[in-house]
Amino acid sequence: MYYPVFRARRLRETETFRRMVRETRLSVDQLISPLFVAHGRELRREISSMPGQFQLSVDELVREVKDVAALGIPAVMLFGLPASKDAYGSEAYAADGIIQQAIRAIKDTVSDLVVITDVCLCEYTSHGHCGVVEQGRVKNDATLELLARTAVSHAEAGADMVAPSDMMDGRVSALRESLDDNGFEEVPILAYAAKYASVFYGPFRHAADSAPQFGDRRSYQMDPANSDEALREVGLDIEEGADVVMVKPALAFLDVISRVKAEFGVPVAAYNVSGEYAMIKAAGRLGWLDEERAVMEVLTAIRRAGADLILTYFAKDAARILSERR
Ligand code: PBG
């Protein structure tokens, strides 16, 4: 059937028609809000490269998550800024570390909000790498034990889900085994399965003070040129016990999201990362584009590509926009 029998514009004519035939839906249920927590009290320090995002002390974090929950957002992802850093990132797995305190405080006040924790060492190590460094190299197997300890300490504090973002080989099995051994067989793993060595993490490293002090992360994070390799990474993580797999960043990797969803059919998350946030914010502030429309177009595109869940610093904005549309 073709023109003039078929006219594509007929069903584009009114908003009601467009609403009826819309293929992709974005819902607040699919959003996860990433938050940064730091030591101190009444601390709410805006991150200069991420306007509208803050480093929050635990008391402020509790206020923030109440807002997040009130908007209907089901989950947060926590990142911590430790009091001090060392070669082995020991605050990452300290019982009274910043994340462990934050989890307890959230669970005490907004207990039904899902608390997901980022499991990595880079915010906690003096060298800023995601693992143990020996002779200038990031050691895979020595790192696994520290990651597993971190995940267990988060679960002990009450985390609902743990999310390893380090890209060491074998970390999903290491976490699964340690969680199970410690009685946390019910705690799911969201694996940053296809995490690329991306320039778009720039503002995050500033926010979390986690830039590597030498070299870069290309010996563990993926080459942005590869997508067959992403399928292999995702497949391995699923075999090792990942419950949700993540592709990160989102926008330059929509094809990867799409391939992963088509190939595996498991819950897929996508991380709309700090640099993606910063670009829209900057252009919006300069009056170069309409921020609200840009946010919704991008989040819808990530859904259309196949993501079930989206981690985004725009979560609160999107939740507000979605509720105004009803
Ligand atoms: C830690 C981690 C990073 C991000 C999430 N977890 C930074 C990195 O790998 O350097 C980036 C998130 C963002 O840019 O929003 N490994």
Side-chain angles (χ1 to χ4, degrees):
M1 193 178 34
Y2 48 85
Y3 171 85
V5 180
F6 173 68
R7 287 175 184 267
R9 292 184 53 193
R10 286 185 199 122
L11 291 177
R12 288 181 203 145
E13 196 60 35
T14 67
E15 175 51 21
T16 310
F17 276 155
R18 291 191 296 269
R19 181 155 66 93
M20 288 167 71
V21 299
R22 192 158 289 144
E23 297 173 38
T24 306
R25 311 229 172 236
L26 177 66
S27 150
V28 70
D29 300 334
Q30 297 151 336
L31 303 176
I32 300 172
S33 181
L35 296 169
F36 299 97
V37 55
H39 288 276
R41 271 191 58 79
E42 289 175 27
L43 174 80
R44 194 177 179 87
R45 189 187 297 134
E46 189 162 28
I47 299 156
S48 57
S49 52
M50 299 175 72
Q53 302 299 312
F54 301 84
Q55 294 176 349
L56 303 165
S57 53
V58 172
D59 52 325
E60 288 289 330
L61 176 75
V62 167
R63 289 175 54 179
E64 181 69 24
V65 299
K66 283 182 186 160
D67 279 2
V68 166
L71 285 163
I73 297 165
V76 294
M77 168 79 89
L78 299 183
F79 296 97
L81 289 103
S84 63
K85 300 176 189 255
D86 59 39
Y88 294 94
S90 43
E91 195 180 316
Y93 38 90
D96 62 346
I98 186 64
I99 287 293
Q100 292 78 0
Q101 290 181 32
I103 299 165
R104 280 189 225 105
I106 296 175
K107 285 285 138 188
D108 279 351
T109 43
V110 224
S111 59
D112 55 349
L113 184 76
V114 168
V115 176
I116 312 173
T117 56
D118 184 81
V119 174
C120 195
L121 300 178
C122 62
E123 294 111 279
Y124 303 88
T125 51
S126 39
H127 45 69
H129 277 288
C130 303
V132 172
V133 171
E134 274 168 28
Q135 277 114 36
R137 300 189 57 200
V138 178
K139 304 298 277 185
N140 195 87
D141 300 3
T143 304
L144 297 181
E145 192 221 332
L146 300 184
L147 293 169
R149 270 167 74 178
T150 304
V152 169
S153 78
H154 292 176
E156 280 168 347
D160 297 295
M161 195 177 322
V162 291
S165 70
D166 52 282
M167 288 300 277
M168 297 301 121
D169 290 319
R171 79 270 165 76
V172 175
S173 333
L175 260 61
R176 189 68 274 156
E177 214 172 286
S178 293
L179 288 167
D180 291 359
D181 286 349
N182 286 277
F184 298 112
E185 50 281 285
E186 304 292 340
V187 174
I189 296 175
L190 186 170
Y192 286 68
K195 177 172 176 179
Y196 288 89
S198 171
V199 70
F200 293 105
Y201 307 150
F204 173 96
R205 291 183 187 170
H206 174 74
D209 186 25
S210 66
Q213 299 303 301
F214 66 90
D216 55 44
R217 302 209 202 292
R218 281 180 247 205
S219 79
Y220 41 106
Q221 298 181 347
M222 283 182 53
D223 182 341
N226 298 353
S227 76
D228 287 345
E229 188 191 357
L231 295 192
R232 192 169 191 191
E233 279 280 9
V234 168
L236 284 171
D237 281 6
I238 293 169
E239 278 177 42
E240 289 181 31
D243 300 278
V244 183
V245 291
M246 177 146 63
V247 175
K248 178 186 173 191
L251 290 183
F253 302 90
L254 293 176
D255 59 322
V256 178
I257 297 172
S258 167
R259 286 189 75 186
V260 167
K261 187 64 192 178
E263 183 85 15
F264 299 102
V266 301
V268 174
Y271 201 141
N272 178 220
V273 300
S274 58
E276 299 170 341
Y277 175 84
M279 287 194 296
I280 290 181
K281 275 283 173 194
R285 288 195 159 194
L286 285 164
W288 290 353
L289 53 68
D290 177 334
E291 178 181 323
E292 183 172 311
R293 288 189 53 203
V295 168
M296 296 314 270
E297 186 169 322
V298 155
L299 296 180
T300 302
I302 297 170
R303 285 275 301 131
R304 193 191 63 234
D308 302 291
L309 297 168
I310 306 175
L311 286 99
T312 178
Y313 303 98
F314 289 117
K316 278 169 56 180
D317 299 317
R320 259 185 230 112
I321 297 165
L322 287 168
S323 73
E324 281 161 16
R325 281 188 188 168
R326 312 219 129 247

